[in-house]
Amino acid sequence: GAVVSQHPSRVICKSGTSVKIECRSLDFQATTMFWYRQFPKQSLMLMATSNEGSKATYEQGVEKDKFLINHASLTLSTLTVTSAHPEDSSFYICSATRTSGGAQEQFFGPGTRLTVL
Amino acid sequence: KQEVTQIPAALSVPEGENLVLNCSFTDSAIYNLQWFRQDPGKGLTSLLLIQSSQREQTSGRLNASLDKSSGRSTLYIAASQPGDSATYLCAGRFSGGYNKLIFGAGTRLAVHP
């Protein structure tokens, strides 16, 4: 099966610092990756669509200057939470799209728990 | 607006029961639908993917169906086990959605011995 990794799995930081989260597709190339956030006992909310070699597309209400996304290669996308504040504390999950035989399927990373003190 | 709804929000059953989780969506122009499992504090595990041209998919004790005309999908779990306890999410990919998955809120399943 397709494998997507995230690093770090857990991060605790002070308010005002920036945090970078990496998402990698380990055994396939992904032209499109997605970033989600999930609050406790709630579903996943799509933040942005990350396309290799181009600017990310952000969902309504998501601040692009706050959540910087870079998709530098077909196997790596990064999400940087700039000047993090306690309200940014959440579970961040990425996914990568694999195309096989004309069908597209998303595979999800294990998530990154961000706690901002 | 494309929306995905899951009912019930929570379900508790005794071990061994067969059960059905429901998912409905508002846009019949669905490209495919995916069922996921999420354990507490963990990422998502893909269970089944149904293309719009398919009516059902099976994997072990799991069977998922898709009815585009009525905007519904069901996940059937046979002979439930305590290890099935988790949150089950359905998500649809719709035409014109540029590969975005729209998630339901999930059903929290507890299977007790």
Side-chain angles (χ1 to χ4, degrees):
Chain A
V3 179
V4 176
S5 70
Q6 277 185 246
H7 178 79
S9 58
R10 184 182 296 269
V11 58
I12 301 173
C13 68
K14 293 181 178 179
S15 184
T17 60
S18 293
V19 176
K20 179 185 283 188
I21 303 171
E22 292 185 349
C23 177
R24 294 181 185 271
S25 56
L26 298 184
D27 52 359
F28 67 100
Q29 293 183 330
T31 54
T32 304
M33 293 184 174
F34 299 89
W35 287 96
Y36 299 82
R37 67 187 297 181
Q38 185 180 35
F39 291 107
K41 296 187 178 181
Q42 294 188 26
S43 191
L44 279 71
M45 296 300 297
L46 179 65
M47 298 174 65
T49 302
S50 171
N51 296 298
E52 186 267 338
S54 64
K55 291 182 178 180
T57 302
Y58 291 82
E59 295 299 300
Q60 192 172 13
V62 178
E63 300 175 59
K64 59 181 66 177
D65 294 331
K66 173 77 171 177
F67 300 99
L68 301 179
I69 291 173
N70 183 274
H71 195 151
S73 75
L74 289 172
T75 59
L76 173 64
S77 176
T78 60
L79 168 68
T80 301
V81 183
T82 62
S83 188
H85 291 283
E87 58 265 29
D88 297 323
S89 299
S90 187
F91 193 53
Y92 292 86
I93 304 178
C94 74
S95 71
T97 300
R98 183 182 72 174
T99 300
S100 177
Q104 293 179 326
E105 186 173 1
Q106 282 193 30
F107 295 89
F108 286 76
T112 296
R113 172 78 57 195
L114 171 63
T115 302
V116 185
L117 303 176
Chain B
K1 181 182 178 183
Q2 295 159 338
E3 293 183 351
V4 177
T5 305
Q6 289 187 248
I7 296 173
L11 184 63
S12 180
V13 300
E15 181 177 6
E17 261 199 23
N18 302 323
L19 55 99
V20 175
L21 307 182
N22 297 294
C23 174
S24 61
F25 46 92
T26 55
D27 188 350
S28 61
I30 189 166
Y31 184 65
N32 60 36
L33 186 138
Q34 218 165 336
W35 282 92
F36 297 89
R37 168 185 173 139
Q38 185 177 32
D39 292 289
K42 303 293 184 181
L44 275 65
T45 300
S46 179
L47 298 174
L48 290 164
L49 170 68
I50 312 176
Q51 301 294 340
S52 61
S53 58
Q54 300 172 322
R55 291 193 64 86
E56 65 179 282
Q57 283 285 335
T58 298
S59 176
R61 294 183 293 109
L62 305 179
N63 176 278
S65 68
L66 177 64
D67 185 338
K68 289 173 52 180
S69 61
S70 65
R72 293 179 183 177
S73 175
T74 61
L75 179 66
Y76 175 83
I77 302 177
S80 58
Q81 303 170 358
D84 295 330
S85 299
T87 295
Y88 291 81
L89 298 161
C90 74
R93 182 181 289 109
F94 300 90
S95 299
Y98 304 101
N99 296 323
K100 292 192 299 186
L101 277 175
I102 308 297
F103 279 85
T107 294
R108 292 189 304 280
L109 173 65
V111 181
H112 49 88

